[in-house]
Amino acid sequence: MRMRARAALASSPVLLLLLLLVGGCAGAVYKVGDLDAWGVPPPSKPDVYKRWAKSIHFALGDSIWFLYPPSQDSVLQLAPEAFASCDLSRPVARLADGNSFFNLTAPGRAYYASGAPGHCRKGQKLWVDVPMANGTYLQPSATDLAALAPTPAADPPAGTASAPEGASASPAPRAAAAGSVVALCFALQILL
Ligand SMILES: *[C@@H]1O[C@H](CO)[C@@H](O)[C@H](O)[C@H]1NC(C)=O
Ligand SMILES: *[C@@H]1O[C@H](CO)[C@@H](O)[C@H](O)[C@H]1NC(C)=O
């Protein structure tokens, strides 16, 4: 709980409220990015989305929330290869209402990018790692690892494929955190 609450509070106190009210204790809701809105990262924060995604330990059932002017942007969920090349032609899912929730319902790595022309190539993209229900992360697949290669044309150096980037959380704190969240939900139900 401590880690999850800190992550939520760091983003916004409103978010914690949202977690408790809208989430109904079923899963946390995280607003994507540390910017005002889902948009092209400013030159001062080129990797804002990558940093954001790494700062949070997601759990199965959590949701990520993209907020943006619907006339200016949209959100696509992409396959790993499409993510790597910013190929927006065949998204897994697309939301464009300006207030988009993607639900982390499957363990593994999920990829998202802006659907606005040119934005993905300007760094408006991110992935999140979702562990299994018991807190264990799946090993990234070969396509996951290929998607992270900095330059698609370059051969990956031998022996670099074993470190699952972004999957650094150990299962034990995760399980403990889940227990505390359940306890908090219980306490809230008694109070409210
Ligand atoms: C996530 O769940 C919410 C509420 O059930 C739903 O409105 C939303 O469309 C879902 N997101 C996706 C991408 O399916
Ligand atoms: C979590 O579940 C997976 C699949 O059921 C299993 O392989 C793994 O060993 C489990 N991990 C822990 C820490 O219980």
Side-chain angles (χ1 to χ4, degrees):
M1 179 60 213
R2 220 178 294 142
M3 257 161 27
R4 173 185 291 214
R6 213 187 292 139
L9 281 167
S11 306
S12 142
V14 174
L15 199 61
L16 185 66
L17 199 67
L18 206 81
L19 185 164
L20 297 171
L21 297 179
V22 178
C25 292
V29 177
Y30 295 102
K31 180 175 170 249
V32 173
D34 299 319
L35 306 172
D36 291 341
W38 169 238
V40 172
S44 59
K45 293 181 177 176
D47 54 0
V48 59
Y49 294 115
K50 188 175 181 178
R51 281 172 186 279
W52 175 82
K54 282 197 162 193
S55 74
I56 297 172
H57 289 177
F58 297 99
L60 209 54
D62 287 349
S63 298
I64 57 173
W65 175 32
F66 297 81
L67 194 63
Y68 52 92
S71 59
Q72 291 171 25
D73 227 307
S74 59
V75 192
L76 308 182
Q77 187 175 348
L78 298 173
E81 305 89 336
F83 177 87
S85 60
C86 283
D87 174 3
L88 311 180
S89 61
R90 280 167 298 153
V92 176
R94 177 178 186 274
L95 291 176
D97 55 4
N99 195 20
S100 307
F101 292 85
F102 280 84
N103 309 306
L104 307 179
T105 52
R109 193 163 281 177
Y111 297 88
Y112 304 91
S114 167
H119 285 202
C120 177
R121 290 191 186 284
K122 289 177 187 155
Q124 194 182 346
K125 61 194 298 202
L126 72 146
W127 78 82
V128 300
D129 279 315
V130 184
M132 292 179 273
N134 66 8
T136 304
Y137 287 89
L138 296 173
Q139 281 297 313
S141 66
T143 46
D144 284 327
L145 293 169
L148 297 187
T151 46
D155 288 327
T160 55
S162 57
E165 195 181 337
S168 57
S170 58
R174 176 77 258 169
S180 320
V181 169
V182 171
L184 179 70
C185 288
F186 222 77
L188 276 168
Q189 275 161 15
I190 292 165
L191 283 173
L192 298 177

